[in-house]
Amino acid sequence: MLCTQASCFFNAKKSVLLLSLLHHFNSSLAYSLKNCTIKYSLNPLADVFVDCGNCGLVTVPVDIPRDVTSATLLNNLLEKINREDFSNLSKLRFLDLHLNKISHVDNGAFIQLGALTSLYMSFNKLTNLTANLFQGLANLTMLDLTYNNIGFIHTSAFQFLTSLLTVILDNNQLQKITDIQPVLELPQILSIIDNRLSLSLSLSLVISSYKMEKFSITTPTFPHLETIDLSHFCRGPVLKWEIPDKSLLKNITRLYFGDVSIHFGDIRNVLQSLDSLRHLTLNNMERWINQGLLATVCKIPTLQRLDLSWSTIINVSAKLVTCSQLSELDLSMTQTIELSKDSIRSMKRLRKLNVEQNLLSKVPDDIRRLSFLETLILSDNYISELGCDDFINTTHLTELYLDSNNITKLDKCVFEHLNYLNVLDVSDNLLSTLGDTFKLGPKMLTFLDLSRNLLPVFEKGDFQGLGSLKYLNVSNNIVRLKDKAFDGLNNLESLRISLLSKWYYSFRELQGLKNLTIIFSGAAHSKHFKQSNLHDFEVCDGLKSLKVFTVIFSGNQCDFPFPALKQTIQSMTHLETFTAFNIYISALDRDTFQFNTQLKNLTIRHTNLSHLDPVLFLPIANLQVLDLSNSELKSLDFLAQAGLSALRCLILKDNHITVINETVFQSLPALTYLDLDNNPFTCDCFNAGFIRWVLNNKQTQAVNAYQYTCSFPVAHQGRKLLDFNYDACLMNISFLFFISSTCLVVGILLSSFTFHFLRWQFAYTFKLFQAFLYDKRNMKKKGAPHQFDAFVSYNVHDEAWVYREMLPVLEGEQGWRLCLHHRDFQPGKPIMENITDAIYDSRKTICVISRHYLQSEWCSREIQMASFRLFDEQKDVLILLFLEEIPTQQLSPYYRMRKTVKRRTYLSWPQAGQHRVFWQNVRRALETGDDSNLLIILI
Ligand SMILES: *[C@@H]1O[C@H](CO)[C@@H](O)[C@H](O)[C@H]1NC(C)=O
Ligand SMILES: *[C@@H]1O[C@H](CO)[C@@H](O)[C@H](O)[C@H]1NC(C)=O
Ligand SMILES: *[C@@H]1O[C@H](CO)[C@@H](O)[C@H](O)[C@H]1NC(C)=O
Ligand SMILES: *[C@@H]1O[C@H](CO)[C@@H](O)[C@H](O)[C@H]1NC(C)=O
Ligand SMILES: *[C@@H]1O[C@H](CO)[C@@H](O)[C@H](O)[C@H]1NC(C)=O
Ligand SMILES: *[C@@H]1O[C@H](CO)[C@@H](O)[C@H](O)[C@H]1NC(C)=O
């Protein structure tokens, strides 16, 4: 449900400086509200206006932002104002609560609203204005309580309203003069009290409703009272007037009567006593007018303005003959068919005459005599012809309204004498030709409206005489433009025109034009198009100073109406606002705006922009308002590369956007207003980030976001997007993210650490793993008896020592069966397998360790395999014989070995003075049983 229609208001005149200050002034105001809209204004100092009206609200929304200066809650279902409803709104100046069902207001509910100046609570159900109701409203000047059921006003109800100027209590249940005493005691009040008072009032101005029987003023309670307004109530019992002292009405200058029942004699008496009256309104009072009341009215010497509208007056002209003092006369909606001769001719001072919405078929004759007339409103009559004499003597006329008549043609003589004419409205007539009308003047004309006529063509020089014209509206004619049609319009700033599409048109002569609206109609274009050459569409070149350009196509869009549009736009280097409705068939060329660096406001609607190239926006980085509604957009991704860092207002209503990646808003740092109404959102985890952003960001208001509905998946159709439980998605996502990023970080740390400090160990571990694989293959052999006592692992460089020193002692003297790979390995078997078999077929593995051994890959594999068996079987299988001194750091690749070596005391071959002791130690090591946990190292 949409509560209010919202849109961006763009004020082109506000300076960029002000815009850049927005964050300082209104930093907390813009975020998405549940049922309200913050109206967008580009002026950061402007009022913050929150609209919560027409929304069916039963409570005051809690999310009204603190900076709000104006708030409307009109036409809701509020029944009660609670103490906390308006707390913290210390900047609020205007509050509209009218058309609710409020019957109770908590004491002190307005106590925080010290800045409030206007409070509108009409059309509610208040019955009792209690003592502390208005506490805190020290700055309130306007209080409207019309149409409640107020029957009681506490004597101190108004004591806090020290600035009050106007209180309106019309149509309540106040019965006695004491009821309104609290109001009457306020010093500066102009009060208009329209109630069921039936007592005769001795004090004041009290304007009655149907129950009031007497209107009486007997003492000068309101010395400054200027206005009595009796225009807002229905016919009731006849009102009795009692104003014995005429001088009490001396200061009344305005008197409004509307539909009041009053005795003719009474009203005549009143009018006779008003000798300072300047403005009299008698709406719907034809009974007295037709009885001759105007004779009295015309005798009020001070009367200047007389408004007789809505009264059907018989022969009004005759009745006004003596009203020569008037300067303003309103006869609109009086069913006047004609103003007879000599009726108003005596009104020599008349400056403004309004006869709109009558039945006049020609300009009244008497108007010629009104030589001081400045404003003449003849709108909405049946005038079909203008004669040369019609305005011959009204030479002071500055504004002439002839709109909504049946005028078929104009003649040059008609306006010939109107040298001061400023505004001329001839819209909505039947004009089919301009003729020479504007070839010579009126010279002072600045505003001309010729829209909604039947003008088919503008010829060269048609507006030649209008050198002062600033605003010209010729839209809603079916117009073709001839060359130089606008010659002479040297000061034209604003032009609105309807054109046949694909016809030749040029605006070259309008050098100063700032605002151009072209409305293309599709009619009759194709035939002409084929006949003419493309170079005829050189179009609006020369519009260098144009700031606002609007182009609209009202026909069938498949015919692109404006082939030269791109070149036209490119020539408008000062363009600030560009609006195109139903103009583009597909996405705009990427270089369309390359020369429009001043562009601030771009609206393209009713177009297929599904293939929009973000490069389009790069030259217009100052853009502040972008509206691409109804343009078949499927995603916001284009914004990520669009570079719109100044964009503040984005409207993408009525598109096909289903999923929004919230990271796109990082590329829109200035965005405060976002409207995505009527898009087919998908309510799943893909939108989780967007939903969270809408709810939590403190800068951008997503307008009506709480009303966005799900279109997908089908099971969720019709539900609210923001009701989608996104927590679950975010938990998974963030948890996964946490885990993966943690693993990544730890992994990187570990691997770099490992690489720097433990790279050898790392390599070793890898090899160990390889060994593990081989080990697994040999599991089956585990239980079998060993073929050898020891497998001797050595490097080929140490073979001499093995054969010369080791074999004679261990095999010869001590009788061990040794496995030597040169001697005992099976030919043809893969070497790795031979090593593995040798190790597992031997009780022990003797490693003859030298520098060469450590450098040999095969040897190291052997030691790994053996050491793996060592750990795997928890058996002492490894005997290390060190042939030479090796610094322990050189053992680093063999991490475990190094650790072992460091832990144990050992002897090495070179150190052993007596080799006999060395060999005895080896024998002891070979003799140890399988289950010993001792690792024997002999060196
Ligand atoms: C106000 O907004 C809430 C949240 O979206 C919604 O549930 C509620 O229906 C709205 N109230 C009205 C009256 O629109
Ligand atoms: C009341 O109005 C005065 C004058 O306009 C202003 O200076 C003052 O700040 C206002 N009080 C509050 C509480 O806004
Ligand atoms: C109005 O309200 C006050 C305070 O609630 C109460 O004392 C008083 O009786 C009421 N008056 C009427 C006429 O209802
Ligand atoms: C009319 O106004 C003047 C000053 O505005 C005042 O002095 C005078 O008393 C008023 N007259 C009446 C009858 O209220
Ligand atoms: C125009 O005014 C002059 C002087 O007041 C008067 O003589 C003349 O008759 C008027 N013209 C018409 C057409 O009423
Ligand atoms: C005025 O023009 C309308 C529309 O063309 C026509 O229906 C109407 O009869 C005309 N009225 C007069 C009084 O000429």
Side-chain angles (χ1 to χ4, degrees):
M1 182 193 80
L2 281 189
C3 301
T4 46
Q5 278 295 336
S7 60
C8 284
F9 301 114
F10 181 77
N11 187 341
K13 284 182 185 151
K14 299 299 175 194
S15 74
V16 177
L17 178 71
L18 281 181
L19 304 170
S20 67
L21 291 175
L22 181 101
H23 279 294
H24 296 287
F25 287 101
N26 284 344
S27 55
S28 68
L29 72 90
Y31 43 86
S32 309
L33 307 182
K34 285 204 167 73
N35 310 87
C36 311
T37 304
I38 304 168
K39 293 289 185 187
Y40 179 79
S41 162
L42 270 189
N43 178 2
L45 302 172
D47 282 356
V48 180
F49 178 40
V50 173
D51 186 351
C52 311
N54 310 303
C55 226
L57 297 173
V58 293
T59 55
V60 176
V62 293
D63 54 1
I64 296 179
R66 280 192 185 195
D67 310 51
V68 65
T69 53
S70 297
T72 177
L73 284 140
L74 80 95
N75 198 13
N76 282 299
L77 304 169
L78 305 176
E79 290 177 1
K80 188 170 181 281
I81 302 296
N82 299 306
R83 220 184 134 84
E84 60 280 0
D85 282 346
F86 298 113
S87 55
N88 293 322
L89 306 183
S90 60
K91 296 183 177 167
L92 196 64
R93 292 198 299 270
F94 175 99
L95 177 59
D96 186 352
L97 292 167
H98 90 263
L99 278 168
N100 276 283
K101 298 181 184 308
I102 301 167
S103 59
H104 177 84
V105 179
D106 275 358
N107 270 334
F110 302 127
I111 200 160
Q112 312 265 12
L113 304 182
L116 199 70
T117 58
S118 303
L119 176 60
Y120 293 89
M121 292 189 74
S122 52
F123 293 93
N124 276 291
K125 295 189 184 307
L126 293 172
T127 54
N128 187 345
L129 301 186
T130 53
N132 297 311
L133 179 63
F134 300 120
Q135 193 180 348
L137 299 178
N139 269 2
L140 199 74
T141 56
M142 170 69 184
L143 176 61
D144 185 353
L145 296 165
T146 323
Y147 283 101
N148 278 277
N149 295 320
I150 300 166
F152 175 80
I153 301 176
H154 193 276
T155 46
S156 27
F158 288 84
Q159 67 175 336
F160 303 103
L161 304 176
T162 50
S163 308
L164 199 64
L165 294 173
T166 306
V167 55
I168 308 180
L169 282 162
D170 293 10
N171 294 79
N172 278 290
Q173 304 288 333
L174 298 164
Q175 310 275 341
K176 309 187 293 289
I177 183 59
T178 44
D179 289 349
I180 59 162
Q181 198 64 41
V183 184
L184 300 177
E185 277 166 11
L186 291 168
Q188 68 283 53
I189 284 277
L190 159 66
S191 77
I192 299 165
I193 307 164
D194 176 358
N195 272 295
R196 318 178 98 218
L197 295 164
S198 51
L199 287 183
S200 111
L201 299 179
S202 59
L203 289 171
S204 68
L205 158 76
V206 176
I207 316 280
S208 83
S209 69
Y210 42 92
K211 271 292 176 68
M212 181 159 144
E213 284 166 2
K214 193 188 234 172
F215 181 83
S216 151
I217 301 180
T218 51
T219 56
T221 309
F222 297 118
H224 306 292
L225 189 69
E226 293 182 347
T227 305
I228 300 177
D229 185 345
L230 283 156
S231 57
H232 297 291
F233 47 99
C234 343
R235 290 159 204 269
V238 175
L239 186 68
K240 193 134 186 60
W241 284 64
E242 195 179 277
I243 302 162
D245 182 359
K246 278 173 79 179
S247 70
L248 290 174
L249 293 176
K250 264 219 147 31
N251 285 353
I252 302 292
T253 56
R254 281 175 288 174
L255 182 58
Y256 304 147
F257 280 109
D259 225 352
V260 189
S261 286
I262 192 168
H263 282 300
F264 181 77
D266 276 352
I267 193 166
R268 199 177 51 191
N269 285 340
V270 171
L271 291 174
Q272 279 166 355
S273 53
L274 295 171
D275 36 20
S276 57
L277 194 67
R278 291 212 296 273
H279 181 182
L280 175 64
T281 297
L282 298 171
N283 293 153
N284 243 331
M285 299 284 284
E286 62 249 30
R287 225 169 94 208
W288 294 273
I289 293 172
N290 291 331
Q291 279 182 34
L293 189 64
L294 292 187
T296 312
V297 170
C298 290
K299 282 189 191 128
I300 303 171
T302 50
L303 195 66
Q304 291 172 2
R305 190 168 156 194
L306 180 60
D307 178 354
L308 301 175
S309 52
W310 294 100
S311 307
T312 309
I313 307 170
I314 302 158
N315 196 5
V316 65
S317 341
K319 299 189 166 87
L320 286 168
V321 170
T322 55
C323 271
S324 57
Q325 75 276 44
L326 295 182
S327 63
E328 236 177 89
L329 177 61
D330 190 341
L331 294 172
S332 58
M333 291 171 280
T334 52
Q335 310 278 328
T336 303
I337 294 168
E338 63 166 341
L339 288 177
S340 60
K341 237 182 164 42
D342 300 338
S343 57
I344 52 173
R345 63 183 302 168
S346 62
M347 299 182 188
K348 294 286 181 223
R349 299 182 200 162
L350 205 62
R351 294 207 145 73
K352 180 170 178 184
L353 176 60
N354 186 352
V355 276
E356 71 183 310
Q357 297 195 49
N358 279 300
L359 309 168
L360 300 174
S361 55
K362 65 186 192 62
V363 179
D365 283 349
D366 279 3
I367 291 203
R368 304 174 199 178
R369 307 295 178 104
L370 303 175
S371 51
F372 291 101
L373 204 62
E374 286 167 6
T375 302
L376 177 57
I377 305 173
L378 290 163
S379 314
D380 215 342
N381 278 286
Y382 293 106
I383 299 166
S384 56
E385 235 180 300
L386 296 177
C388 286
D389 288 350
D390 280 351
F391 307 109
I392 192 164
N393 269 354
T394 50
T395 50
H396 287 83
L397 217 53
T398 58
E399 297 183 26
L400 178 55
Y401 298 90
L402 291 161
D403 49 297
S404 304
N405 277 287
N406 276 10
I407 302 166
T408 52
K409 73 179 180 64
L410 295 175
D411 215 315
K412 137 173 109 174
C413 62
V414 176
F415 309 119
E416 197 168 38
H417 307 279
L418 303 181
N419 292 327
Y420 301 105
L421 197 65
N422 219 280
V423 175
L424 178 59
D425 188 347
V426 205
S427 62
D428 200 9
N429 276 289
L430 304 170
L431 293 178
S432 55
T433 171
L434 283 184
D436 294 340
T437 315
F438 301 113
K439 286 206 164 139
L440 292 173
K443 290 248 182 291
M444 304 278 276
L445 204 63
T446 59
F447 176 103
L448 176 58
D449 193 342
L450 292 168
S451 62
R452 287 172 286 148
N453 276 289
L454 305 170
L455 298 166
V457 63
F458 292 142
E459 310 272 357
K460 178 180 174 181
D462 267 357
F463 302 98
Q464 190 75 50
L466 304 180
S468 303
L469 202 67
K470 290 205 163 96
Y471 175 94
L472 176 61
N473 186 353
V474 285
S475 62
N476 288 72
N477 289 284
I478 307 163
V479 161
R480 288 175 291 132
L481 274 189
K482 291 284 179 68
D483 205 10
K484 301 208 164 85
F486 296 121
D487 256 6
L489 294 174
N490 300 326
N491 286 300
L492 199 69
E493 287 176 4
S494 178
L495 173 63
R496 221 183 134 82
I497 188 167
S498 302
L499 292 169
L500 282 175
S501 62
K502 295 177 182 172
W503 188 261
Y504 172 76
Y505 37 89
S506 164
F507 300 90
R508 221 171 301 140
E509 55 275 32
L510 299 176
Q511 289 296 329
L513 202 65
K514 300 214 160 38
N515 189 337
L516 173 63
T517 300
I518 302 178
I519 301 157
F520 286 107
S521 73
H525 60 270
S526 41
K527 204 175 90 208
H528 300 300
F529 180 47
K530 283 182 188 122
Q531 287 165 357
S532 54
N533 296 318
L534 256 179
H535 68 258
D536 281 344
F537 306 105
E538 56 188 280
V539 197
C540 322
D541 63 338
L543 291 173
K544 299 252 184 292
S545 47
L546 206 69
K547 289 194 167 157
V548 182
F549 184 36
T550 306
V551 52
I552 298 166
F553 185 40
S554 64
N556 186 341
Q557 196 203 27
C558 60
D559 259 309
F560 190 56
F562 203 156
L565 183 56
K566 188 168 99 179
Q567 294 91 302
T568 302
I569 293 171
Q570 285 179 346
S571 72
M572 299 173 178
T573 51
H574 291 90
L575 199 64
E576 288 176 3
T577 300
F578 176 55
T579 304
F581 284 171
N582 194 32
I583 288 293
Y584 292 97
I585 305 163
S586 58
L588 288 67
D589 289 349
R590 59 198 304 193
D591 57 349
T592 304
F593 300 121
Q594 62 174 324
F595 302 117
N596 306 112
T597 52
Q598 319 263 343
L599 203 66
K600 291 197 182 73
N601 190 356
L602 176 61
T603 301
I604 299 170
R605 289 189 177 188
H606 304 284
T607 294
N608 183 349
L609 296 179
S610 49
H611 297 291
L612 194 61
D613 186 343
V615 173
L616 176 75
F617 299 103
L618 294 183
I620 47 173
N622 293 323
L623 206 66
Q624 287 163 9
V625 178
L626 177 62
D627 182 346
L628 301 177
S629 298
N630 210 329
S631 294
E632 302 184 32
L633 286 169
K634 292 188 177 61
S635 120
L636 295 188
D637 294 348
F638 70 95
L639 292 165
Q641 286 111 50
L644 295 172
S645 57
L647 196 71
R648 302 160 45 73
C649 175
L650 177 61
I651 304 177
L652 298 170
K653 293 193 277 194
D654 307 305
N655 277 296
H656 302 325
I657 298 162
T658 54
V659 171
I660 292 173
N661 182 349
E662 80 285 5
T663 55
V664 80
F665 299 114
Q666 287 164 10
S667 51
L668 303 171
L671 195 69
T672 59
Y673 188 100
L674 173 68
D675 192 342
L676 289 162
D677 220 13
N678 206 11
N679 277 286
F681 289 107
T682 297
C683 293
D684 64 16
C685 285
F686 290 112
N687 271 326
F690 172 63
I691 295 170
R692 189 173 56 161
W693 177 86
V694 168
L695 293 172
N696 295 325
N697 93 81
K698 284 277 178 269
Q699 177 185 303
T700 307
Q701 178 194 191
V703 178
N704 289 325
Y706 285 83
Q707 274 74 43
Y708 296 168
T709 51
C710 312
S711 296
F712 308 102
V714 178
H716 287 280
Q717 233 164 39
R719 293 197 202 161
K720 297 279 184 266
L721 175 70
L722 297 192
D723 289 345
F724 178 73
N725 180 11
Y726 66 92
D727 282 340
C729 316
L730 290 175
M731 191 113 80
N732 291 343
I733 291 167
S734 61
F735 184 68
L736 280 179
F737 182 72
F738 170 74
I739 292 298
S740 53
S741 62
T742 307
C743 289
L744 194 66
V745 170
V746 170
I748 289 169
L749 275 177
L750 266 185
S751 52
S752 54
F753 179 80
T754 309
F755 190 72
H756 276 285
F757 300 104
L758 302 169
R759 61 196 136 180
W760 298 116
Q761 283 81 348
F762 193 68
Y764 173 71
T765 308
F766 172 70
K767 303 236 157 126
L768 203 62
F769 177 68
Q770 281 188 317
F772 165 78
L773 293 178
Y774 286 106
D775 177 58
K776 284 290 166 211
R777 272 201 234 152
N778 291 284
M779 291 292 266
K780 56 186 189 299
K781 296 181 181 176
K782 266 183 189 168
H786 297 291
Q787 197 183 339
F788 302 102
D789 289 309
F791 164 61
V792 182
S793 167
Y794 61 93
N795 184 264
V796 70
H797 285 94
D798 306 318
E799 197 164 34
W801 182 85
V802 169
Y803 277 88
R804 226 179 293 135
E805 301 277 352
M806 187 186 194
L807 273 187
V809 178
L810 295 185
E811 281 202 329
E813 288 179 25
Q814 298 180 6
W816 303 109
R817 280 173 298 131
L818 298 182
C819 170
L820 302 178
H821 66 261
H822 277 196
R823 191 182 65 187
D824 302 309
F825 275 12
Q826 289 176 26
K829 212 174 177 185
I831 186 144
M832 227 23 232
E833 222 166 287
N834 259 324
I835 293 172
T836 318
D837 287 349
I839 288 172
Y840 278 88
D841 282 346
S842 311
R843 275 197 307 117
K844 307 274 178 182
T845 297
I846 297 172
C847 297
V848 180
I849 295 171
S850 65
R851 284 195 172 81
H852 291 300
Y853 182 84
L854 294 176
Q855 283 158 10
S856 151
E857 192 196 349
W858 292 117
C859 292
S860 58
R861 286 245 177 109
E862 287 155 17
I863 204 169
Q864 287 151 24
M865 183 60 73
S867 68
F868 191 80
R869 188 178 158 207
L870 167 77
F871 299 113
D872 179 38
E873 296 183 6
Q874 291 293 307
K875 282 177 190 162
D876 234 349
V877 294
L878 199 59
I879 299 170
L880 305 179
L881 303 180
F882 281 76
L883 270 194
E884 50 192 332
E885 294 273 17
I886 296 170
T888 47
Q889 69 262 34
Q890 283 199 9
L891 294 173
S892 55
Y894 317 104
Y895 177 64
R896 285 174 195 282
M897 182 162 75
R898 189 181 169 207
K899 237 166 93 185
T900 320
V901 168
K902 273 175 132 182
R903 249 193 278 136
R904 313 265 166 165
T905 52
Y906 56 87
L907 285 170
S908 64
W909 175 258
Q911 278 173 346
Q914 293 184 315
H915 292 151
R916 187 130 308 275
V917 179
F918 178 83
W919 291 122
Q920 278 168 10
N921 286 340
V922 173
R923 182 167 66 195
R924 224 175 297 136
L926 283 169
E927 276 171 354
T928 51
D930 284 352
D931 32 287
S932 156
N933 276 332
L934 198 77
L935 173 65
I936 296 160
I937 298 165
L938 293 167
I939 297 171

